[in-house]
Amino acid sequence: MRSAVSQGAAAVSSVRVVALYRFAPIKDCVVVRDRLETLASPAVRGTLLVAHEGLNGTIAGSVEAVERVLEGIRAVPGFADLEVKESTAATMPFHRLKVRIKPEIVTMGRTDLDPVCNAGTYVSPADWNALIADPDTVVIDTRNDYEGAIGAFAGAIQPNTRSFRDFPDWFEREGRALLDRPVPPKVAMYCTGGIRCEKATAFLRAEGVQNVHHLEGGILRYLETTVETESLWQGECFVFDERVAIGHGLSPGSHTLCRGCRMPLGPRERASDRYVEGVCCERCHDSRTEAQREGYAERQRQMEIAARLGIEHVGARLNGDGPAGDGTDRN
């Protein structure tokens, strides 16, 4: 069952949800941030990250309100060709609007990379199956451990990183050896919306790896456009909002979020004796004090009351929209 905060977060019947990113140089991040805050507030919620290397985020609201923000982004020099990935939600999937300036729009800890000029080769969803089915291709998931655990492409290597910041260390420790073959293999990389794998291809190319590819539009575009019977995707795709996970056709998934540790929970995890809705799960039960669990339980009770009354409770304003917290791993 979807959590009470998700059920009562908004009174609209259908919300437009747009995931976007683009690597393009931004000279004055403050001006862009302030402009986007003005265009989005108060009708649009979600997160937009602004950096000198570009823009990244996911926003939601009415069709008209979201379009107003997109028009503002496309008016920024270098962003006229911005592409977005769209879906809908029955209720508002975000609790507030955040427009933040960051050193990177997706944090790898490598500000010296140039994805604009040095990223790998885009591969469309229509051509992706053939690429990753090729035995001469090494497929690498650039997402984090909790994302790969609930869904991945068949045969993909899982670095099992806790954060995208850990990807360069993983590559030096394990990844480079995977490519050490007499004939260098093709590398196919993917992530949720395309931004992490695009930056990861720029990183690999900077490390001397040349035959690098990444999934255009990410898993979201693949699930949106690929017929399920022809799909090589297995499981669900984690998303950094109250939908938690989605499946083929961008339909709602079966996962919810533990309010104690902010990790995705499937039916098996929710069946555990240690799972308490809104409080804790088997993963975090022993790491939370009794006082913490009591506080979580009271927050859940207040949120359920607010949901029954059809109002939004302040307890729903969580610190971050998913395990990444600051949103720097989204997309």
Side-chain angles (χ1 to χ4, degrees), residues 93-107:
F94 299 108
H95 298 298
R96 60 191 183 279
L97 171 69
K98 296 180 289 185
V99 185
R100 295 177 174 174
I101 296 174
K102 294 282 186 177
E104 303 172 75
I105 56 173
V106 59
T107 304

Side-chain angles (χ1 to χ4, degrees), residues 57-101:
T58 306
I59 55 175
S62 68
V63 172
E64 296 79 9
V66 170
E67 190 60 34
R68 183 170 63 248
V69 177
L70 295 180
E71 289 176 357
I73 294 174
R74 291 186 173 113
V76 177
F79 288 83
D81 296 329
L82 176 76
E83 294 186 2
V84 302
K85 291 169 285 295
E86 297 206 29
S87 58
T88 60
T91 59
M92 171 60 76
F94 299 108
H95 298 298
R96 60 191 183 279
L97 171 69
K98 296 180 289 185
V99 185
R100 295 177 174 174
I101 296 174

Side-chain angles (χ1 to χ4, degrees), residues 16 34 73 88 148 163 196 216 236 240 262 299 306 331:
R16 184 185 184 188
D34 292 348
I73 294 174
T88 60
S163 165
R196 284 178 282 181
E216 186 173 14
E236 296 178 355
F240 290 88
R262 308 286 296 153
R299 178 187 61 188
N331 287 343

Side-chain angles (χ1 to χ4, degrees), residues 194-271:
I195 186 171
R196 284 178 282 181
C197 56
E198 184 165 345
K199 193 160 191 174
T201 62
F203 168 73
L204 258 64
R205 285 173 60 87
E207 293 294 313
V209 182
Q210 295 303 315
N211 201 357
V212 186
H213 306 75
H214 53 110
L215 177 58
E216 186 173 14
I219 302 163
L220 296 180
R221 182 65 51 79
Y222 183 91
L223 294 179
E224 180 184 14
T225 60
T226 304
V227 178
E228 186 169 1
T229 55
E230 299 176 0
S231 174
L232 296 181
W233 177 261
Q234 300 173 338
E236 296 178 355
C237 177
F238 180 85
V239 289
F240 290 88
D241 59 55
E242 286 295 322
R243 294 172 297 171
V244 184
I246 58 176
H248 282 89
L250 306 184
S251 60
S254 62
H255 286 74
T256 56
L257 207 63
C258 173
R259 300 298 173 180
C261 62
R262 308 286 296 153
M263 290 292 168
L265 304 173
R268 185 190 67 80
E269 290 83 6
R270 293 195 298 273

